[in-house]
Amino acid sequence: MRQIQWFPGHMAKTRRMIASNLSLVDAVAEIIDARTPLSSRNPEMDSMTKGKPRIILLNKCDLADERATQRWISWFRAHGSEAIAVDCKSGKGLKAFLPTVREKVLAELMEKRRRNHMEGAPVRLMVVGIPNVGKSSLINKLAGSKRAKAEDRPGVTRTKQWVKLGGNVEMLDMPGVLWPKFDDQESALRLAFTGAISDDILDSESLAMELLVYLAKTYPQALVTRYKIEIDDGDGGLELLEKVGRKRGMIVSGGEIDTERAAIMIVDEFRGGKLGRITLELPTETEQPCGE
């Protein structure tokens, strides 16, 4: 499979935009995908946000393995970052967001304002994350209206926009930003699985075969339950793809299996949560947060 690279021109512009607007905010809300907590973090984000107080939101937690998400929250907290699990579309977990920002992330600033009788000053947050991770959905849910564009395809938000929320909070929504090159192709693959990278850069069959191999090793029961297939030792991506296609009756003239159609279905069903709650990476003691 060819190397995955993707760095549209507007990504470089976003990096500059984050740096130039950082002085306008009190803290940074970094949204990551709960299924890929490390892979969906821009490794340059620490340097771009220059030590601003930060809260990490593990979004799409309803699609991730719940036990794995709790491990990640503990891991982030152990490394000095406040973290909570949320689902920005349904609103799950978001009630804890602003209280956590005020009482934990910005506790020192809030106390300083109380001492100086500045309680009325607004709390300003910058929302950052890679494309399609849920920044706009977060803002829309908190604001109670569609103020930011939100679509299930990467790169929709292209310009910054301020949104006023209740409770004297203002949020600055930034466009999604990836990084110049993927040194770790495993991370790139995980982003491709979840749709964070445009599907145009990798053919659907290669993507589905890689996903099936991963799931056969880590969540085999998900494939057995969903597709009623048997997983044999030595099954590769093509064998698994053909088994799924055959079970779903995706046969073309001559009796061949329509692997492209099967591949599109598998990836779509994974992204939609139809294979169950799945996390694509787990924390280990050797892993370090971005920037360390």
Side-chain angles (χ1 to χ4, degrees):
M1 188 175 64
R2 67 186 177 88
Q3 292 284 100
I4 300 174
Q5 300 295 342
W6 190 56
F7 192 57
H10 70 272
M11 296 294 176
K13 179 181 177 182
T14 299
R15 295 163 77 195
R16 295 191 296 269
M17 197 183 301
I18 288 174
S20 64
N21 287 276
L22 202 59
S23 63
L24 304 178
V25 301
D26 302 308
V28 174
E30 181 184 358
I31 306 183
I32 61 177
D33 191 318
R35 297 167 296 178
T36 56
L38 276 191
S39 296
S40 60
R41 296 191 78 197
N42 188 321
E44 300 178 350
M45 194 57 72
D46 282 336
S47 61
M48 282 192 286
T49 55
K50 298 177 182 175
K52 279 278 183 179
R54 192 184 320 173
I55 181 171
I56 296 171
L57 290 84
L58 288 89
N59 188 30
K60 306 183 183 181
C61 67
D62 59 323
L63 299 177
D65 185 323
E66 191 171 11
R67 289 172 298 178
T69 298
Q70 289 306 311
R71 284 182 61 183
W72 276 112
I73 289 174
S74 297
W75 184 85
F76 281 120
R77 288 175 177 169
H79 287 85
S81 295
E82 188 58 47
I84 60 174
V86 301
D87 178 51
C88 293
K89 283 192 174 180
S90 69
K92 180 180 179 179
L94 288 182
K95 284 186 178 180
F97 173 57
L98 292 179
T100 301
V101 169
R102 292 180 181 276
E103 297 165 15
K104 295 183 178 181
V105 180
L106 291 177
E108 187 176 329
L109 176 64
M110 295 295 101
E111 177 57 29
K112 182 179 179 180
R113 287 182 176 180
R114 279 191 288 270
R115 289 197 307 266
N116 295 328
H117 307 289
M118 296 175 61
E119 294 94 336
V123 171
R124 293 191 172 97
L125 305 173
M126 178 184 288
V127 184
V128 299
I130 66 171
N132 201 32
V133 78
K135 297 181 302 299
S136 297
S137 295
L138 167 71
I139 290 175
N140 290 336
K141 202 69 181 177
L142 291 174
S145 63
K146 278 204 166 186
R147 310 238 183 142
K149 288 185 178 180
E151 293 186 32
D152 287 329
R153 59 189 178 91
V156 172
T157 304
R158 295 294 177 88
T159 60
K160 68 175 183 179
Q161 48 186 331
W162 281 101
V163 179
K164 290 187 177 182
L165 309 180
N168 204 20
V169 176
E170 298 176 3
M171 299 191 79
L172 178 58
D173 185 19
M174 305 298 288
V177 58
L178 283 169
W179 43 102
K181 89 176 171 175
F182 294 115
D183 294 319
D184 181 356
Q185 284 294 295
E186 289 298 316
S187 291
L189 259 181
R190 294 181 192 116
L191 293 177
F193 291 157
T194 61
I197 301 174
S198 173
D199 287 332
D200 296 336
I201 70 166
L202 196 66
D203 73 88
S204 58
E205 288 163 292
S206 295
L207 186 61
M209 286 190 286
E210 293 281 356
L211 178 59
L212 286 168
V213 168
Y214 175 82
L215 294 177
K217 291 178 181 177
T218 56
Y219 292 90
Q221 194 57 43
L223 297 180
V224 173
T225 300
R226 181 67 183 174
Y227 299 119
K228 307 298 188 290
I229 63 172
E230 292 185 5
I231 301 173
D232 299 316
D233 291 341
D235 274 351
L238 180 58
E239 288 81 10
L240 292 167
L241 182 59
E242 289 179 337
K243 285 183 177 182
V244 173
R246 186 177 294 110
K247 276 289 185 179
R248 287 297 176 93
M250 296 177 176
I251 311 297
V252 295
S253 58
E256 291 191 12
I257 298 166
D258 189 343
T259 52
E260 182 177 6
R261 184 181 165 203
I264 292 171
M265 176 198 68
I266 290 164
V267 174
D268 283 348
E269 291 195 346
F270 165 73
R271 292 175 182 172
K274 293 182 179 179
L275 298 182
R277 299 178 67 163
I278 292 170
T279 296
L280 298 174
E281 57 190 359
L282 294 172
T284 68
E285 292 181 3
T286 59
E287 284 171 332
Q288 295 295 318
C290 300
E292 285 198 3

